Amino acid sequence: MAQAKLAQRILQEQGISTRVVVGETAWRVGPGDGDVITHSPRSSGFAPPGVNAFAYHAWLEMGTTIIDFTTHSLRTKAKDLDAYDGGTTHVVWCPEYLVIQSADTLAFKAVAQALNEGVACYQEIPGLYEMMIAKGMDKDLDEGDVQILRILFDNQEMNVFGPNDIAAAGSGVTA
C-alpha cells in the first residue's frame, strides 16, 4: 500500500492522475507448477513470524492501465516463500515494474494454469479498500519517505545502498 501511495504522489506531482486499487494478484514467474506468486485474502498464505497480516496487493490504475512498481521484488518474495515452505520457485520473469492494460491480464486461476511465465492477474476486490480504511489499516504517507522518493526520482543516476545490500554482499561494515 505504501509503495502504491508513494508512486501515486510522485505521479500526481508530474500531472498524472491515478487511483489506488486493492485486491488480489498472481504472477506467473516461471514455467513450473509452483512458479506462481500470489497475494490474495481469499486463500491462506505466508506472513512473517509475529506479523498479524492478511494477503492483499495494492497497485495503481490510470484508466484501463495497471501500474505496479513492486514487481521488482518478485525474486525476493519467491526466496522468502521457498524458505517458508521448502519449495523451489524458479523466477524467470521479474520486471523492474509492470505497466499493463487490464484487458491483457488473466483471471487468477488462468495465471496458475498458464504454461509460460510473464502473465499476471490484477483483480480488485470491491469493498476491501474501504474495509482497510475503516480498520485504520490505510496509513498516511510519511512525508520523509515522500522527500526521499522525490530525491531519487529527480536524480535517477544515483545508486542507493542499504542494509540489505550490505548483508547480501557479505560485508563486515559496522557502525
Side-chain angles (χ1 to χ4, degrees):
M1 179 67 78
Q3 290 182 21
K5 290 175 78 172
L6 282 166
Q8 182 182 43
R9 170 76 74 83
I10 296 299
L11 290 171
Q12 183 180 18
E13 290 175 2
Q14 300 300 310
I16 301 169
S17 180
T18 61
R19 83 177 177 106
V20 174
V21 182
V22 177
E24 66 182 359
T25 54
W27 303 273
R28 163 119 345 243
V29 296
D33 287 344
D35 298 340
V36 177
I37 297 172
T38 65
H39 290 201
S40 176
R42 300 179 206 220
S43 62
S44 62
F46 163 77
V51 174
N52 184 14
F54 69 97
Y56 72 91
H57 192 66
W59 62 92
L60 299 176
E61 285 187 359
M62 183 178 67
T64 60
T65 302
I66 293 167
I67 306 166
D68 187 347
F69 289 105
T70 68
T71 54
H72 64 89
S73 66
L74 292 173
R75 197 172 310 282
T76 301
K77 289 177 187 198
K79 182 180 170 187
D80 291 345
L81 289 169
D82 290 348
Y84 176 74
D85 67 11
T88 301
T89 306
H90 298 96
V91 180
V92 177
W93 183 68
C94 184
E96 287 290 316
Y97 57 89
L98 186 61
V99 177
I100 187 171
Q101 293 300 308
S102 57
D104 294 332
T105 65
L106 302 178
F108 198 81
K109 187 174 180 179
V111 171
Q113 296 175 343
L115 299 176
N116 296 309
E117 67 277 351
V119 295
C121 165
Y122 286 84
Q123 181 65 49
E124 182 175 11
I125 297 177
L128 182 57
Y129 192 32
E130 292 76 14
M131 183 271 305
M132 293 173 71
I133 292 169
K135 290 188 174 195
M137 298 171 71
D138 183 32
K139 306 283 185 219
D140 290 332
L141 285 178
D142 180 304
E143 288 304 315
D145 290 344
V146 174
Q147 290 175 350
I148 290 169
L149 185 57
R150 204 176 281 124
I151 290 168
L152 293 172
F153 184 81
D154 291 339
N155 299 283
Q156 295 180 22
E157 71 284 353
M158 182 184 298
N159 290 317
V160 178
F161 297 93
N164 293 338
D165 298 307
I166 294 169
S171 172
V173 175
T174 58

